[in-house]
Amino acid sequence: MGKKSRQRMMITVLMGMTLFVGILSISVGSVNIGMLNVVKIMLGMDVGNPVYSSIVLDIRFPRLLAAVIGGAALSVSGLLLQIFFRNPIVEPYVLGISSGASLFVGVAIMGGYRFGLSGIGPLYLFLGAFAGAMLVMIAVCCAAKKVHHITTLLIIGVMAGFICSAGTSMLTSFADKEQIANYVTWTLGSFSGFSWMQVKFLFFLNAPILIAVFLLSKPLNAMLFGENYALSMGLNIKRFRMAIIVIASILTAGITAFAGPISFIGLAVPHIVRILFHSSDNRVLIPAVIVLGALMTAVCDFCARMLLSPVELPLSAITSLIGAPIVIYLLVTKRSEL
Amino acid sequence: MNQVIVAENLDVGYERKKVVENVNINAMKGQMICLLGPNGAGKTTILRTLTGLLAPLKGTVSINGNDVEHIGKDALAKELAVVLTELLSLGYLTVFEIAAMGRYPHTNYFGKLSEYDIKIVRDALTAVDAYRLKDRCFSELSDGEKQKVMIARALVQQPKLIVLDEPTSHLDVKHKVEVIKILQKLCAEKGITVILSLHDIDLAIKACQIVLLVRKGEIVAEGTPEEVILDGTIQRLYDIEGAHYNELMGSLEFDNTETPEFFVTGGDGTGAGIYRALSRAGIGMVCGILHTNDIDSYIGKTLNCRIIEENAFEAIGDRSFAEAKAVIEGISCLVDTGFPLRHGNHRNLELLKYGIAEGKTVFSLCKKENLFARYGPWANRIEVCGSVCQLIQRMKQEKGRGKNDDYWNIADEG
């Protein structure tokens, strides 16, 4: 069982790296705090500068947690969709789920004031994003019943994404400048300005779902063989299909609502994990995808903040710049499959 | 013997499109049943219905007395396993993991394998001779190995019935034989019932106890291969054009449509290969005189050549001899395939000599040194060809020379 212990070791290493990147990312910025001080503050020790505590605990730590939770959620969502559609290039962003969420968030941000709401609460944003994500996913799945070819389905998803984007751009032509600016900033993706309340919301939304996904490892493994085989092995396909749709939508919607549509994490992370762990067994993949998703998103967020500091780069630009070459490299050199 | 799967008055198809109607199958324990028929006849649809992947339009399928539609999917998975034609991309799953997936209906919520489960997987992989591949990835395997692993996976489900959709397509002969032998062993030793669809007529006839012929939406025949596969059955089943199938020989031969310009002897199997080679080269011929039980006669007929025949176990008689002479008169060349001379076919040599006497060219595939013993004084009038290739070259040169058009017009009308 050398493979198993090696996999366990790798997960531990990835967790360690996440912790390191996390502390590093909290320690640097417009104010450099130092990693030791960060650790001290986290452990509740006094570092002699109340501003440091405030920066760490109120600004940078919630931001990091959001990146970690969001990254894990997006990656797992990507993994689920790749298995569900039996296609290695599927992710929430590609399938139009993110676009659906964007449209409804757009409605919320740009139309919210019009409906007489003074501010946009996290629940409201989330409900908008969730409704959008679900709508696209259900549309794609309705189409799935009619078409047998999986590539067709993928194209339908992409088209649904275009339709949502069209809706969004029409919406922007009616909105006023300030709202558009708000919305555009949101679409570029960013973890900045996360409040503890939003982090808690994300955590309590995603944690139970991630556990649930892990509990679905066995049917997910069966799904690798395709629906017919899965059915012949005794899997209740209809219920399972519904579960995957709901789960992938919630995971995508939660993070998209607050941080905007973030590309490539959901696509790249499952591939990297498969190749690193040399496994397609979801009992191994799911925990590893959660950890690597968190790590990669934390790294991307760190880069977005620090590369051209003090200017903060859009997160999606960084995830694409880092994720796309990695995927190409892995595909070219290692021939990754599902 | 007890019934494992029973299908009664089954109509199968999709929504409003009926594909095959009135299917009746009664499979006993340990039987191997094969659906045979052309592409698009509905074999896959029947198999999908039998396995509960598709609801029947009419009628019922019951496995061990339980209606497939009402039995729970997990309960069904312990009775029935499938091997489908779908191309799988299973990434990094190892052969062992793939086979172990067959434990799905038997394991707990996480699919944790017990010692017993592992033993079952090991036994199944050993049964298909794939245990040595256990740590390999699926994508690294050959098509034949993949198919064996998928059979092992089905076996791991410990079903009473395995349904396979075209398990031998894409496989080379060696793996076809291996796969069929594995299935036969499962039937004989484990008492598993196997229902499969095949494209290989040969394999179906030789390996399966029962064949069902499916053609254009109906089951045209059902029974043992000996009962069902008669002269011309396959020709009709597949609507073969431009070739003929000989059920007895299990051989498919392309039709020779050329006008016969040569008389080619034969006998004791010396003719079959030459007839095929000449047909391939586009040379028409009349073959004779062959005994009705000679393999040359079967192959010649399947090639659509005219054969002058004599009853089996009888010496060549005057009737057939006269017929052959008439043919020789109308052509310019004869071929001696080097058939062994015995009491029964001695007159074939007479025919060749008659040809020489009539001034025809006679080619022989005999060895030069044997020529004198065979033809005596006529030997120096014979043109010896060292190989079939050389023969064909010479025949092509002779082709069309001295052709008697009147004779062939009459022959065509006859």
Side-chain angles (χ1 to χ4, degrees):
Chain A
M1 292 281 111
K3 194 173 170 184
K4 255 191 184 157
S5 54
R6 210 191 60 198
Q7 287 169 342
R8 264 193 218 113
M9 199 191 72
M10 266 164 33
I11 277 216
T12 318
V13 169
L14 287 176
M15 283 168 134
M17 282 166 71
T18 313
L19 191 67
F20 174 78
V21 169
I23 294 170
L24 177 71
S25 149
I26 290 176
S27 71
V28 295
S30 49
V31 180
N32 279 321
I33 296 172
M35 289 177 75
L36 194 65
N37 281 340
V38 171
V39 175
K40 278 184 183 166
I41 292 169
M42 300 287 238
L43 295 174
M45 289 192 273
D46 187 32
V47 291
N49 189 340
V51 179
Y52 280 10
S53 295
S54 166
I55 288 175
V56 168
L57 293 178
D58 295 341
I59 299 173
R60 293 188 189 163
F61 190 40
R63 177 180 182 145
L64 175 76
L65 281 181
V68 163
I69 299 169
L74 281 176
S75 307
V76 170
S77 177
L79 178 72
L80 289 181
L81 293 174
Q82 285 172 9
I83 296 168
F84 184 73
F85 286 102
R86 299 180 67 204
N87 190 313
I89 61 154
V90 172
E91 66 151 338
Y93 202 79
V94 173
L95 264 187
I97 298 178
S98 299
S99 307
S102 300
L103 174 63
F104 278 65
V105 167
V107 171
I109 291 181
M110 292 184 273
Y113 297 100
R114 214 145 281 179
F115 299 136
L117 294 161
S118 49
I120 310 294
L123 187 67
Y124 188 49
L125 262 185
F126 167 73
L127 283 179
F130 181 66
M134 277 295 273
L135 220 66
V136 173
M137 202 58 182
I138 287 170
V140 170
C141 283
C142 285
K145 278 181 196 156
K146 300 270 179 211
V147 299
H148 295 293
H149 212 283
I150 213 84
T151 318
T152 319
L153 197 57
L154 191 62
I155 294 170
I156 290 172
V158 174
M159 291 304 131
F162 277 121
I163 293 172
C164 289
S165 306
T168 312
S169 34
M170 286 205 277
L171 210 58
T172 47
S173 45
F174 291 107
D176 54 50
K177 282 208 176 89
E178 195 192 336
Q179 291 166 1
I180 293 174
N182 267 341
Y183 178 70
V184 168
T185 317
W186 175 85
T187 56
L188 292 175
S190 170
F191 284 108
S192 76
F194 253 81
S195 68
W196 272 109
M197 195 195 130
Q198 287 170 319
V199 170
K200 276 181 194 157
F201 183 86
L202 266 189
F203 178 79
F204 287 113
L205 179 73
N206 287 335
I209 291 176
L210 291 179
I211 293 169
V213 171
F214 184 64
L215 294 179
L216 288 176
S217 297
K218 183 180 166 185
L220 280 171
N221 280 346
M223 277 299 282
L224 290 174
F225 290 75
E227 291 200 357
N228 284 331
Y229 272 116
L231 195 65
S232 83
M233 289 189 266
L235 174 66
N236 187 333
I237 283 286
K238 276 184 190 155
R239 228 190 307 160
F240 183 70
R241 198 187 287 176
M242 202 60 215
I244 296 291
I245 295 173
V246 172
I247 287 174
S249 301
I250 296 178
L251 287 175
T252 308
I255 187 63
T256 307
F258 301 130
I262 298 166
S263 59
F264 263 103
I265 295 288
L267 178 58
V269 170
H271 279 291
I272 299 171
V273 167
R274 278 189 205 103
I275 290 166
L276 277 182
F277 286 73
H278 205 81
S279 173
S280 291
D281 184 349
N282 290 297
R283 288 168 295 186
V284 177
L285 290 187
I286 291 167
V289 161
I290 290 175
V291 176
L292 190 74
L295 172 62
M296 199 168 142
T297 316
V299 170
C300 289
D301 185 44
F302 177 71
C303 295
R305 275 175 52 209
M306 298 309 296
L307 274 185
L308 295 177
S309 168
V311 175
E312 185 164 334
L313 297 170
L315 185 62
S316 260
I318 304 294
T319 52
S320 306
L321 278 179
I322 296 183
I326 290 180
V327 170
I328 292 172
Y329 169 76
L330 293 175
L331 290 176
V332 170
T333 56
K334 294 250 187 162
R335 240 186 99 237
S336 166
E337 290 177 69
L338 272 184
Chain B
M1 285 220 285
N2 44 351
Q3 295 169 331
V4 173
I5 182 166
V6 180
E8 277 173 340
N9 304 320
L10 203 62
D11 285 3
V12 303
Y14 301 88
E15 281 171 26
R16 281 191 198 86
K17 189 175 170 281
K18 200 189 286 179
V19 178
V20 187
E21 59 181 8
N22 205 17
V23 180
N24 288 287
I25 294 175
N26 192 349
M28 303 292 180
K29 188 173 181 327
Q31 257 181 350
M32 190 152 153
I33 297 181
C34 172
L35 303 183
L36 202 60
N39 288 331
K43 301 187 296 290
T44 302
T45 316
I46 294 174
L47 293 182
R48 284 175 63 86
T49 312
L50 291 180
T51 53
L53 291 174
L54 194 66
L57 298 179
K58 207 190 89 191
T60 54
V61 180
S62 52
I63 291 182
N64 285 330
N66 300 311
D67 191 326
V68 164
E69 278 197 277
H70 301 303
I71 184 174
K73 287 290 172 210
D74 47 344
L76 182 61
K78 294 180 186 175
E79 305 276 341
L80 165 91
V82 297
V83 176
L84 305 170
T85 43
E86 290 171 23
L87 292 173
L88 292 176
S89 144
L90 294 172
Y92 292 109
L93 286 187
T94 63
V95 164
F96 189 88
E97 285 172 327
I98 289 164
M101 197 57 72
R103 292 310 288 165
Y104 192 96
H106 301 272
T107 52
N108 70 3
Y109 198 82
F110 277 105
K112 185 163 172 49
L113 297 175
S114 66
E115 285 297 316
Y116 175 71
D117 292 322
I118 290 171
K119 182 185 174 302
I120 302 265
V121 176
R122 199 167 48 218
D123 290 351
L125 282 173
T126 311
V128 302
D129 187 30
Y131 189 67
R132 70 206 146 77
L133 304 170
K134 71 181 172 63
D135 294 320
R136 297 263 297 277
C137 280
F138 195 66
S139 51
E140 298 166 6
L141 304 181
S142 73
D143 283 348
E145 289 168 336
K146 279 181 181 168
Q147 198 59 279
K148 287 198 271 184
V149 172
M150 291 317 286
I151 292 173
R153 190 213 59 84
L155 199 52
V156 166
Q157 263 175 267
Q158 292 186 300
K160 294 167 187 76
L161 171 70
I162 298 182
V163 173
L164 307 93
D165 194 3
E166 288 173 24
T168 57
S169 316
H170 313 298
L171 304 190
D172 61 25
V173 173
K174 169 187 150 79
H175 284 100
K176 273 181 189 176
V177 171
E178 275 184 31
V179 162
I180 292 292
K181 290 220 127 193
I182 286 166
L183 295 175
Q184 280 183 316
K185 212 167 93 183
L186 297 184
C187 293
E189 290 174 11
K190 297 188 195 274
I192 293 172
T193 305
V194 169
I195 298 183
L196 73 170
S197 61
L198 285 177
H199 271 307
D200 306 87
I201 303 156
D202 257 13
L203 290 181
I205 295 176
K206 288 160 193 171
C208 303
Q209 279 100 352
I210 305 228
V211 289
L212 276 80
L213 305 186
V214 192
R215 182 176 185 267
K216 287 184 185 162
E218 57 174 338
I219 306 279
V220 290
E222 179 173 0
T224 63
E226 295 71 33
E227 290 167 344
V228 169
I229 312 284
L230 308 169
D231 269 1
T233 306
I234 300 298
Q235 195 82 27
R236 285 192 299 277
L237 182 65
Y238 287 92
D239 280 324
I240 305 172
E241 282 169 19
H244 277 80
Y245 188 86
N246 186 310
E247 280 80 359
L248 201 58
M249 294 282 141
S251 90
L252 179 80
E253 309 289 350
F254 292 103
D255 287 348
N256 184 333
T257 53
E258 301 296 319
T259 316
E261 290 180 58
F262 298 91
F263 181 81
V264 185
T265 58
D268 201 20
T270 56
I274 293 165
Y275 301 161
R276 281 186 187 136
L278 298 185
S279 298
R280 209 163 50 218
I283 295 171
M285 70 201 119
V286 177
C287 312
I289 299 170
L290 300 171
H291 285 101
T292 49
N293 64 340
D294 198 302
I295 183 172
D296 291 345
S297 171
Y298 287 110
I299 299 297
K301 269 187 227 165
T302 315
L303 281 164
N304 207 26
C305 292
R306 179 178 163 199
I307 311 282
I308 300 169
E309 276 189 313
E310 186 51 76
N311 292 331
F313 312 114
E314 280 180 20
I316 290 171
D318 293 337
R319 182 201 50 80
S320 56
F321 191 72
E323 194 186 340
K325 264 171 103 171
V327 167
I328 290 167
E329 274 160 26
I331 49 104
S332 60
C333 282
L334 291 82
V335 177
D336 168 16
T337 60
F339 54 88
L341 277 171
R342 297 282 183 270
H343 172 69
N345 68 346
H346 213 275
R347 290 183 89 177
N348 272 337
L349 193 65
E350 265 178 61
L351 281 176
L352 290 166
K353 287 176 182 168
Y354 171 74
I356 301 167
E358 291 284 302
K360 316 282 179 188
T361 313
V362 175
F363 298 111
S364 177
L365 285 159
C366 279
K367 287 203 175 98
K368 228 172 194 148
E369 57 266 32
N370 299 337
L371 222 53
F372 191 76
R374 197 171 171 95
Y375 290 95
W378 301 90
N380 54 358
R381 306 269 297 271
I382 308 283
E383 190 177 324
V384 174
C385 294
S387 65
V388 179
C389 226
Q390 199 188 340
L391 174 69
I392 289 171
Q393 253 174 12
R394 284 292 293 119
M395 286 174 93
K396 281 196 166 162
Q397 287 164 5
E398 292 292 325
K399 208 174 164 186
R401 202 181 288 174
K403 191 162 114 182
N404 182 337
D405 287 332
D406 289 344
Y407 172 82
W408 290 113
N409 287 341
I410 296 162
D412 283 348
E413 279 161 29

